[in-house]
Amino acid sequence: MLTVEQIVSSQKDQAAAFYALANQAVTGVERLADLNLKALKSTMADSAAQTEALFSVKDVQGMMALQNSDLKAAAEKASAYGRELYEIASGFGGEFAKAAEARAAEAQKQINAFVDSAVKNAPKGTEQAAAALQSAVATAGTAFESVQKAVKQASEQAAASIETMTHGMRKGLTSYGDA
């Protein structure tokens, strides 16, 4: 059975994990605020430059060239913003996933220890029920591991898809600017 020291130790570990995640969340918010401030400053500077360039346009061809360059620059900036936003979100998500995996592994270890202790201390004649309980816990652990692997694979595939889409956007923007 669990001792008071084990329970206190578990609670300390959980508190430490909570504060580590809270600090990660604050760092993510700081990075997001910094990204948004940089985007705002850049937008203001671009707007001023575009206004200045607009005043210097002399003909329709100049207007079209200015419009094309503005569209290309805006699309590139939006793509860069999206990539950085994704990095911030996936960084926090990765930290959260690591913490969740560690907590799940610790919980599984504690459950297994509890079940083993219960089986060892089970009254005579309940060996079959104890074996069934051990089997059920082992099966549940295996199922949980399978779900964790599937979620991790889905996350990796989503990240790869976003990278492919971003690369395609950059390639399309490059060919648009050349047209």
Side-chain angles (χ1 to χ4, degrees):
M1 294 309 229
L2 292 175
T3 65
V4 172
E5 290 82 18
Q6 290 172 322
I7 293 171
V8 169
S9 175
S10 176
Q11 292 298 316
K12 283 182 182 179
D13 290 346
Q14 289 177 6
F18 168 77
Y19 287 115
L21 283 177
N23 284 329
Q24 287 291 329
V26 169
T27 300
V29 169
E30 286 175 338
R31 287 184 62 197
L32 182 60
D34 185 49
L35 173 64
N36 286 332
L37 285 173
K38 286 179 183 176
L40 180 61
K41 286 179 182 179
S42 176
T43 300
M44 293 297 291
D46 290 348
S47 179
Q50 288 169 344
T51 301
E52 191 67 33
L54 185 60
F55 288 137
S56 67
V57 171
K58 304 283 186 225
D59 56 15
V60 174
Q61 289 175 340
M63 177 68 82
M64 295 301 287
L66 180 62
Q67 183 180 14
N68 284 340
S69 69
D70 288 347
L71 286 174
K72 182 179 177 187
E76 287 173 351
K77 287 183 185 223
S79 177
Y81 179 86
R83 279 192 310 276
E84 197 162 341
L85 185 61
Y86 174 76
E87 287 176 21
I88 292 168
S90 65
F92 178 71
E95 290 299 319
F96 184 77
K98 286 179 194 174
E101 285 177 17
R103 293 286 110 212
E106 182 61 30
Q108 185 65 37
K109 196 166 97 176
Q110 288 177 352
I111 289 170
N112 288 340
F114 176 76
V115 169
D116 288 344
S117 174
V119 167
K120 287 178 186 173
N121 296 322
K124 297 286 185 205
T126 60
E127 293 84 11
Q128 242 182 345
L133 178 61
Q134 276 183 314
S135 176
V137 169
T139 301
T142 302
F144 182 74
E145 288 174 10
S146 296
V147 169
Q148 277 185 319
K149 287 178 185 176
V151 167
K152 189 173 183 176
Q153 284 179 331
S155 297
E156 289 169 357
Q157 288 175 347
S161 294
I162 288 172
E163 182 60 34
T164 301
M165 184 177 66
T166 302
H167 178 70
M169 275 181 64
R170 276 189 248 140
K171 189 174 179 180
L173 290 172
T174 303
S175 64
Y176 174 76
D178 294 338

